[in-house]
Amino acid sequence: MAVQAPPAATTPPSSWPTVAGAVVLLTAITSVLLAAFAWPSVRSSLHDVPIAVAGSATAVERVGAALDRRLPGGFETTEVADTAAAERLIRDREVYGAIDVSSGTPRVIIASAAGAAVAQTLQSVATALSQAQTQGTGTAVAVRDLVALPADDPRGAGLAAGALPLVMGGLLTALLLTRLVRGAARRVAGALAFAITGGLAVAAILQFWLGALNGAYWVNSGAVALTVAAISLSILGLESLLGYVGLGLGAVTMMLIGNPLSGTSTAPEMLPGWSGAFGQLLPPGAGGQLLRSTAFFDGRGATHSVIVLVAWFAFGAVLCLAGGLRAPRRRRRSGITEQPRAALSSPNGLNQISYQEALHGEERRR
């Protein structure tokens, strides 16, 4: 007699509280994304931007007082004796620009490659100060761009736009390798290989196609590769120890915190409060500053960024090593646990158990 199979059960629709919970979760995620990316831009302003003032002590004091009146707390001035000293500080990335009053007539020295927004602000402030000193006669202030952005990208848009793809590249590397590649050593090798190829590709696009970078191509590629490696390895390491929780933690750290606080599109000193300094301790911010140094300043001012990126790289490598050492123990424990379950769940296992029970029952009846 044939046994009729029961009708397939249909999945009931989700309850309305489940729908409401999904809506609340999506609203919260959207709000967090907007706050993370919009807050640094909307609240950006100058604070403690380092600049040099060249001239006599009296002139430097007068310029410093005028700057404090116009933008309180906006600039941190360094007194230098002459124009050459101011230019040296700019090339070493110790200051963003300089106001030179050593010759009597105020002149402005900027470095748009260090930050176009800061250069424009410094130029406008110096012009306003000069007009105030000349009773509004409209005398133009001489401005010289000591370290200029490339002619093909005079606003630095390419470098600013390249920050997000670097973070996304490191995040996608960790995500794909955890899904497609087994073994901690192979995942690390894959991340390092992509960091090299990705660095070559990104630097080639920015430098040869968009014309957004100067400097040596191979050095710029190394800066991009180190940034991608630091991001991807740290996320891989977190995932190897914490699973999906670690992957989410790494994504939030790099995407929602590190990228908005990198200061690549403006300057770290223009971000609100402590966020600019904190952003330079994360790979996106350190990577952006490192690429500026290699592309426009012959690597000067890159020490802090290299230390931060190497520290994150080592942190990720240690986590990957720890996760790789824990994986065999987890597999052994799970294998011991699954053996009895497999015996019960497999047809052969059930048949063998049923046969043994029947045999024991027959022996008892005898």
Side-chain angles (χ1 to χ4, degrees), residues 172-182 186-192 194 232 236:
L172 290 176
T173 300
L175 180 62
L176 290 178
L177 289 177
T178 54
R179 304 307 301 167
L180 301 179
V181 179
R182 295 180 180 178
R186 286 171 173 80
R187 288 178 179 178
V188 171
L192 295 179
F194 170 73
S232 59
L236 273 177

Side-chain angles (χ1 to χ4, degrees), residues 18-267:
T18 302
V19 178
V23 172
V24 171
L25 179 61
L26 291 172
T27 304
I29 293 175
T30 304
S31 301
V32 170
L33 289 173
L34 177 62
F37 284 91
W39 174 71
S41 300
V42 174
R43 295 289 184 264
S44 64
S45 62
L46 291 180
H47 55 87
D48 296 328
V49 175
I51 64 171
V53 181
S56 62
T58 303
V60 169
E61 184 178 356
R62 186 169 60 250
V63 170
L67 290 174
D68 287 337
R69 286 194 302 269
R70 186 168 185 85
L71 285 176
F75 296 98
E76 180 181 337
T77 59
T78 299
E79 179 182 348
V80 294
D82 52 20
T83 305
E87 292 180 353
R88 183 166 56 254
L89 291 180
I90 294 174
R91 294 186 187 276
D92 290 340
R93 298 206 68 188
E94 295 185 21
V95 297
Y96 280 91
I99 298 177
D100 185 7
V101 291
S102 58
S103 61
T105 303
R107 293 177 296 176
V108 179
I109 307 173
I110 61 175
S112 58
V118 176
Q120 293 172 1
T121 303
L122 181 60
Q123 182 177 348
S124 62
V125 168
T127 301
L129 293 178
S130 176
Q131 290 177 352
Q133 290 180 357
T134 57
Q135 287 79 35
T137 58
T139 304
V141 177
V143 178
R144 180 161 58 95
D145 198 345
L146 185 64
V147 187
L149 286 164
D152 292 336
D153 187 20
R155 295 178 300 171
L159 183 60
L164 182 59
L166 290 184
V167 179
M168 289 295 298
L171 177 59
L172 290 176
T173 300
L175 180 62
L176 290 178
L177 289 177
T178 54
R179 304 307 301 167
L180 301 179
V181 179
R182 295 180 180 178
R186 286 171 173 80
R187 288 178 179 178
V188 171
L192 295 179
F194 170 73
I196 295 173
T197 58
L200 293 172
V202 170
I205 293 173
L206 290 176
Q207 189 157 354
F208 301 131
W209 181 25
L210 300 179
L213 299 179
N214 291 334
Y217 165 69
W218 298 107
V219 180
N220 294 335
S221 301
V224 176
L226 181 57
T227 303
V228 174
I231 295 173
S232 59
L233 275 184
S234 57
I235 299 177
L236 273 177
L238 289 171
E239 191 279 336
S240 66
L241 285 181
L242 305 176
Y244 287 112
V245 174
L247 190 63
L249 179 62
V252 168
T253 301
M254 300 302 171
M255 180 67 68
L256 299 185
I257 300 177
N259 186 65
L261 302 185
S262 64
T264 304
S265 59
T266 54

Side-chain angles (χ1 to χ4, degrees), residues 29 36 205 284 300 325 365:
I29 293 175
I205 293 173
R300 288 188 286 267
L325 293 177
R365 286 194 295 272

